[in-house]
């Protein structure tokens, strides 16, 4: 037990852990209670080890254990290879070796010094509030401070301080969503023209790709960005996961909604972008390069677009990758090529979702760790999940492209194909 407490004290000193004085000293008192029975002492130490590990997790900055159980249905779908890869990335070999060296050093030093005394002293020091150690220095004649007002704000404008406590942030985000709830946009002005659209709209939703990924993979200045007519450089999908991000795009006619409200079907009709485009004469289409079953992705899309059958049949194709859950992923180039060859009797608005660069994917016929294939997969995406180069070269003639350069997920591209 001294080893665990010693390790926790070291992690706290390196600012890797938090420290809960009440819980830690309660555990220390539980261990210090004298017991004459050898078996009771063994049982007590066994329980103490479990409690110490739980306390170690409590004082860490890791997500709560409850989240693992709440997401167990999804985690259980991961294949064995992906789980081993995650475990390998999570456990640092260097950290294990350092722990082994410290453990051996503890066994030797404990024979010379009473290390438990130093552990208790360290816990006492860690329990003292940090403000106690802070010393303020003031001068007799403080320097005059010149306040610089931000551009566009007059000196008389009061500066409102934001409460950064948990309760304050909760109230702040609540007020934000209340303001967003009243914001809506419609396409009635276009509807008033009563003109049949003469172009198709394609939404390309690239899962697991953000601006930071482009920078990491060396594609931040990719030539494809020069082909877009409009590039939104400060667009943010306000979410870090691609599933909810797609739903936010599909509900673009309303303001930002909370994560829970994204799955509220009662809000779909008034916010559905595809429904409004359908009223203008577009036929709705959905297709993707995976089966869409993980986490009920198909169901969430259908709740915002309506029941659909994939526009492109992927079952007849050979997979190009296998996903983290062992399911098949198909070639973006092959799917988009088939979609381009489809004949439509009326304009269409289509959503295409690709997971070609999702974490844990394994390219058929290639080997390597997840980190080794990370850059390669993202470079592969640019060659396969965008419209063909022949179309991009004549963008000014038949294509109008909008690229949302997102700091979060997903990387979304909207392409309008004019009918010829």
């Amino acid at each position: 037990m001294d080893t665990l407490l010693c390790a926790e004290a070291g992690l706290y000193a390196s600012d890797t852990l938090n420290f809960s004085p009440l819980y830690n000293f309660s555990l220390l008192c539980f261990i210090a209670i004298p017991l004459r029975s050898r078996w009771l002492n063994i049982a007590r130490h066994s329980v103490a080890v479990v409690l110490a590990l739980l306390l170690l997790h409590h004082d860490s900055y890791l997500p709560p254990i409850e989240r693992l159980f709440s997401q167990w249905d999804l985690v259980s779908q991961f294949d064995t290879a992906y789980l081993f890869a995650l475990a390998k990335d999570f456990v640092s070999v260097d950290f294990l070796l350092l722990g082994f060296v410290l453990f051996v050093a503890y066994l030797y030093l404990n024979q010379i010094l009473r290390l438990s005394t130093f552990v208790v002293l360290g816990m006492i020091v860690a329990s003292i509030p940090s403000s106690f150690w802070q010393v303020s220095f003031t001068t007799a004649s403080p320097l005059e401070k010149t306040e610089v007002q931000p551009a566009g704000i007059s000196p008389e404008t009061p500066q409102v301080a934001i409460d950064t406590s948990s309760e304050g942030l909760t109230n702040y985000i609540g007020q934000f969503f209340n303001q967003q709830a009243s914001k809506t946009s419609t396409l009635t002005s276009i509807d008033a023209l009563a003109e049949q659209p003469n172009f198709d709209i394609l939404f390309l939703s690239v899962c697991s790709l953000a601006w930071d990924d482009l920078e990491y993979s060396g594609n931040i200045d990719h030539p494809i960005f020069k082909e877009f007519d409009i590039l939104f450089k400060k667009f943010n999908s306000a979410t870090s996961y691609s599933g909810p991000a797609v739903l936010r795009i599909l509900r673009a006619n309303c303001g930002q909604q909370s994560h829970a409200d994204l799955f509220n079907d009662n809000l779909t009709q008034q916010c559905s972008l595809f429904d409004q485009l359908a009223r203008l004469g577009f036929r709705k289409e959905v297709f993707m390069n995976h089966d869409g079953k993980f986490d009920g992705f198909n169901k969430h899309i259908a709740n915002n677009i309506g029941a659909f059958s994939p526009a492109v049949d992927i079952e007849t194709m050979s997979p190009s990758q296998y996903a983290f859950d062992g399911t098949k992923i198909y070639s973006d180039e092959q799917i988009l090529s088939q979609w381009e060859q489809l004949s439509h009797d009326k304009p269409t608005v289509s959503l295409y979702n690709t997971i070609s660069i999702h974490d844990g994917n394994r390219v058929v016929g290639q080997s390597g760790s997840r980190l080794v294939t990370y850059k390669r997969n993202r470079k592969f995406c640019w060659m396969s999940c965008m419209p063909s180069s022949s179309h991009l070269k004549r963008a000014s003639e038949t294509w109008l492209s909008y690229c949302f350069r997102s700091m979060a997920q997903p990387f979304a591209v909207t392409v309008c194909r004019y009918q010829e």
Side-chain angles (χ1 to χ4, degrees), residues 303-317:
N303 288 341
N304 286 270
I305 291 182
F308 67 89
S309 297
V312 177
D313 184 15
I314 60 177
E315 296 297 332
T316 59
M317 303 179 184

Side-chain angles (χ1 to χ4, degrees), residues 79 319-329 360-364:
D79 65 4
S320 60
Q321 299 182 75
Y322 287 99
F324 57 89
D325 59 349
T327 57
K328 299 176 181 178
I329 302 176
N361 290 354
R362 301 187 304 278
V363 180
V364 175

Side-chain angles (χ1 to χ4, degrees), residues 12-224:
Y12 172 75
S14 63
D15 201 24
T16 306
L17 282 182
N18 196 1
F19 186 79
S20 303
L22 178 61
Y23 295 150
N24 280 275
F25 277 103
S26 298
L27 178 61
L28 183 63
C29 292
F30 175 71
I31 300 171
I33 296 175
L35 294 176
R36 294 184 178 181
S37 173
R38 178 173 175 268
W39 293 109
L40 284 178
N41 195 35
I42 293 176
R44 189 258 307 275
H45 275 78
S46 300
V47 173
V49 169
V50 176
L51 293 177
L53 293 175
L54 291 174
L55 181 57
L56 188 65
H57 180 272
H58 175 271
D59 285 344
S60 72
Y61 301 107
L62 296 174
I65 298 179
E66 294 81 8
R67 179 163 178 78
L68 174 63
F69 292 107
S70 66
Q71 301 291 321
W72 182 250
D73 290 340
L74 299 180
V75 175
S76 61
Q77 298 181 40
F78 295 171
D79 65 4
T80 305
Y82 186 50
L83 289 174
F84 275 116
L86 290 176
K88 181 181 178 181
D89 290 344
F90 180 77
V91 179
S92 170
V93 177
D94 293 342
F95 185 80
L96 292 177
L97 292 175
L98 177 61
F100 174 73
V101 172
L102 293 178
F103 176 72
V104 174
Y106 168 82
L107 294 179
Y108 278 96
L109 291 176
N110 196 40
Q111 299 177 9
I112 305 173
L113 304 172
R114 191 174 181 83
L115 293 183
S116 58
T117 303
F118 293 96
V119 171
V120 174
L121 289 175
M123 293 174 62
I124 293 175
V125 172
S127 302
I128 300 175
S130 58
S131 58
F132 178 82
W133 307 101
Q134 295 177 356
V135 179
S136 300
F137 296 94
T138 58
T139 58
S141 55
L143 296 175
E144 294 183 0
K145 294 188 296 182
T146 302
E147 296 185 0
V148 179
Q149 296 292 336
I153 299 179
S154 61
E156 294 78 13
T157 303
Q159 300 296 317
V160 180
I162 298 177
D163 184 4
T164 57
S165 65
S166 178
E167 182 179 359
L169 294 176
T170 300
N171 293 333
Y172 183 82
I173 192 70
Q175 294 174 5
F176 170 77
F177 285 130
N178 288 336
Q179 295 172 355
Q180 291 289 310
S182 61
K183 295 184 177 182
T184 58
S185 62
T186 61
L187 302 177
T188 53
S189 59
I190 300 177
D191 193 18
L193 297 177
E195 295 180 358
Q196 180 72 13
N198 65 337
F199 55 89
D200 299 327
I201 301 177
L202 171 63
F203 289 86
L204 294 176
S205 170
V206 185
C207 177
S208 302
L209 181 65
W211 192 246
D212 287 344
D213 297 306
L214 296 175
E215 184 175 7
Y216 179 82
S217 60
N219 288 295
I220 195 170
D221 296 319
H222 196 280
I224 196 171

